[in-house]
Amino acid sequence: MYADLETDALEALAARLEGDFNAMKARGLSLNMARGKPASDQLDLSMPMLSSVTDPASCTADSGLDCRNYGVLDGLPEAKRLMAVFLDDTPEHVVVGGTSSLTLMYDALVRCCLFGTDGCAPWNSLAQVKWLCPVPGYDRHFAITEALGFQMIPVPLTDEGPDMDLVEHLVRDDDSIKGIWCVPQYANPSGATYADTAVRRLANMECAAPDFRIIWDNAYGVHHLFDDVERQDHVLDIAAACREAGTPRRYLKFASTSKVTFPGAGLAALAASPDNLDEIRRHMGVATIGYDKLNQLRHVRFLGDARGIARHMSRHASILRPKFQLVARKLDESLFDVGDCRWSNPKGGYFVSFDAPEGCASRIVELAAEAGVTMTAAGATWPYGCDPRNSNIRIAPTLPPLDELDEALDVFVCCVKLAYAQKLLASRS
Ligand SMILES: Cc1ncc(COP(=O)(O)O)c(C=O)c1O
């Protein structure tokens, strides 16, 4: 381990790593492991969808409705059936929206701020609103709660969900804590999947705020990398858990086909309790006459049903699996003797979470950029972009082709080693 090396040996190692780094830099690379985007061969899988709605006859819904015109606020019945699969719910609890689940989440919180929910005061009329943020987490979630002026409280995300002892302790007495971000399956970025006990505790916990909301963002619910044995299949449904706990209005579920068909041109949907749905539809009906039903038809025809979705996702997995396996192999082989590094080995989703030696993350990302490899900014996985240990880095291996990913990972591990060796030397001088 680097920390155990004598200073002479560490200096020699740092000099060698610097040489390796400069050689990599001289290659003028331009590689990207920053954002969780599907690769182009994944996008190719969904191209047939675009030719499923072409002539006037193909624009008709099951009910006979002409989908080229206005009508239907909350989704075609067949689109609700399809999105119910992603939301692990029944079609009558589903509202199909536009193309982005993030927009649906943003709108849900903005409505709470402007109008209140469940008969409670609008959140923007309160002196303070606080929000629980499992960390490491999704930067765009944090951007929403930051933009709305909520005070974000980081809560550790374990392999089994948020640290529920802490969550229960925080929400019991503080009625300004209005909710929590949750990515229950293959979380962004750690890949953690919530255990049943965590789901039940979220549903059952005593909340001082009667309008506490769990934002249940099941963005990766069907994004398994492995077929069966190793796969963590089914997260306990928060809706069922809340109904059982007598807290049926506590959750709002979200999902989209962004990483199933086309990001930015997919279908987004939410599921909620009947009371919450009434509230949502009332406000939604003011904001829009209706969403894109032609896109709903395309998705229904292309994906079909749960089996169609599973078939399609296994094609995605065939493309993604080797990339995640490469990351795991490279990190294992290259960093086993470095020390103070940890990384996740997800069974699905889009990311690997990497914990660098404390204090090194921003330097690693900076070095990688110098060598032509763009990483997600250090700190992005924490509220306000501020990781107090300056340790966590999100690796997004999906976009680059395998050979480029291989090169980018070589650069990354070299930067990890160099940053750590230099930091240890600096601490000894
Ligand atoms: C956890 C999570 N939720 C939501 C999104 C974005 O979803 P959409 O494209 O439906 O807005 C992402 C994209 O990376 C994500 O990781």
Side-chain angles (χ1 to χ4, degrees):
M1 300 295 148
Y2 284 14
D4 303 327
L5 293 175
E6 299 291 338
T7 301
D8 285 355
L10 197 56
E11 276 168 354
L13 176 70
R16 194 164 42 81
L17 288 168
E18 221 165 311
D20 293 348
F21 175 76
N22 286 330
M24 285 175 177
K25 208 165 122 178
R27 286 162 61 195
L29 299 172
S30 175
L31 305 167
N32 194 310
M33 288 201 293
R35 293 239 65 104
K37 290 181 176 181
S40 60
D41 47 353
Q42 289 179 265
L43 302 174
D44 292 345
L45 296 174
S46 298
M47 287 309 287
M49 185 176 83
L50 296 181
S51 38
S52 64
V53 175
T54 46
D55 51 56
S58 64
C59 297
T60 308
D62 289 352
S63 65
L65 181 86
D66 184 345
C67 291
R68 297 172 301 176
N69 216 330
Y70 281 137
V72 181
L73 173 67
D74 64 350
L76 297 170
E78 52 268 56
K80 289 185 181 181
R81 273 199 300 278
L82 178 73
M83 295 313 289
V85 176
F86 293 94
L87 290 159
D88 193 17
D89 215 308
T90 52
E92 62 270 24
H93 293 145
V94 171
V95 164
V96 183
T99 56
S100 162
S101 61
L102 205 63
T103 304
L104 289 178
M105 292 178 239
Y106 179 79
D107 288 348
L109 296 192
V110 168
R111 279 193 301 269
C112 290
C113 288
L114 288 178
F115 307 109
T117 184
D118 213 357
C120 298
W123 294 355
N124 65 2
S125 70
L126 307 175
Q128 183 162 53
V129 173
K130 299 181 194 151
W131 198 266
L132 302 183
C133 299
V135 286
Y138 179 35
D139 51 354
R140 291 185 189 274
H141 281 166
F142 301 157
I144 291 177
T145 31
E146 182 173 3
L148 294 175
F150 300 176
Q151 184 194 322
M152 295 184 280
I153 305 172
V155 172
L157 179 67
T158 73
D159 288 343
E160 311 214 309
D163 175 343
M164 285 309 301
D165 288 341
L166 180 59
V167 171
E168 285 167 348
H169 170 74
L170 289 169
V171 301
R172 188 175 305 126
D173 301 317
D174 188 344
D175 66 359
S176 68
I177 301 181
K178 293 295 187 187
I180 183 168
W181 290 117
C182 292
V183 182
Q185 187 148 26
Y186 308 137
N188 174 354
S190 75
T193 292
Y194 287 25
D196 292 358
T197 43
V199 181
R200 286 207 182 87
R201 286 176 76 175
L202 283 164
N204 280 282
M205 66 193 183
E206 197 184 313
C207 295
D211 49 355
F212 183 93
R213 289 290 174 264
I214 299 166
I215 301 295
W216 195 253
D217 176 7
N218 207 359
Y220 300 107
V222 296
H223 300 65
H224 313 290
L225 285 170
F226 298 93
D227 273 340
D228 29 274
V229 189
E230 283 196 78
R231 142 175 159 190
Q232 287 167 283
D233 226 349
H234 193 255
V235 176
L236 186 68
D237 177 27
I238 189 70
C242 283
R243 277 195 298 272
E244 205 172 292
T247 56
R249 295 196 67 166
R250 181 172 288 179
Y251 71 91
L252 295 168
K253 295 198 269 187
F254 300 87
S256 79
T257 67
S258 286
K259 288 163 185 173
V260 176
T261 56
F262 301 122
L267 269 193
L270 62 81
S273 68
D275 288 338
N276 284 342
L277 285 173
D278 285 347
E279 205 176 275
I280 291 165
R281 284 198 201 99
R282 189 156 34 85
H283 291 295
M284 207 176 232
V286 177
T288 181
I289 304 172
Y291 293 100
D292 181 349
K293 296 184 295 301
L294 296 173
N295 200 30
Q296 294 178 23
L297 277 186
R298 276 186 218 108
H299 278 79
V300 168
R301 290 188 186 141
F302 179 61
L303 294 169
D305 54 14
R307 284 172 61 182
I309 294 167
R311 253 195 321 271
H312 182 69
M313 293 314 292
S314 100
R315 290 184 196 117
H316 278 287
S318 307
I319 297 171
L320 291 176
R321 205 165 38 239
K323 297 185 180 183
F324 281 84
Q325 286 169 333
L326 178 65
V327 176
R329 197 172 62 243
K330 270 261 142 100
L331 298 180
D332 282 346
E333 284 171 5
S334 316
L335 297 177
F336 74 95
D337 59 349
V338 172
D340 288 330
C341 303
R342 281 185 314 135
W343 53 91
S344 61
N345 191 4
K347 302 285 179 262
Y350 260 61
F351 303 99
V352 172
S353 175
F354 185 85
D355 287 319
E358 185 163 355
C360 289
S362 48
R363 180 69 185 137
I364 293 168
V365 171
E366 199 176 273
L367 285 169
E370 242 181 81
V373 174
T374 308
M375 307 285 307
T376 311
T381 54
W382 279 70
Y384 310 106
C386 181
D387 171 1
R389 295 184 67 243
N390 187 13
S391 165
N392 190 252
I393 297 173
R394 184 178 81 165
I395 300 176
T398 58
L399 182 67
L402 261 181
D403 55 335
E404 286 186 16
L405 179 63
D406 201 10
E407 277 189 302
L409 287 165
D410 284 338
V411 172
F412 177 72
V413 295
C414 177
C415 296
V416 171
K417 291 175 177 182
L418 180 57
Y420 187 33
Q422 287 177 339
K423 172 161 180 289
L424 285 171
L425 283 172
S427 72
R428 291 180 192 183
S429 60

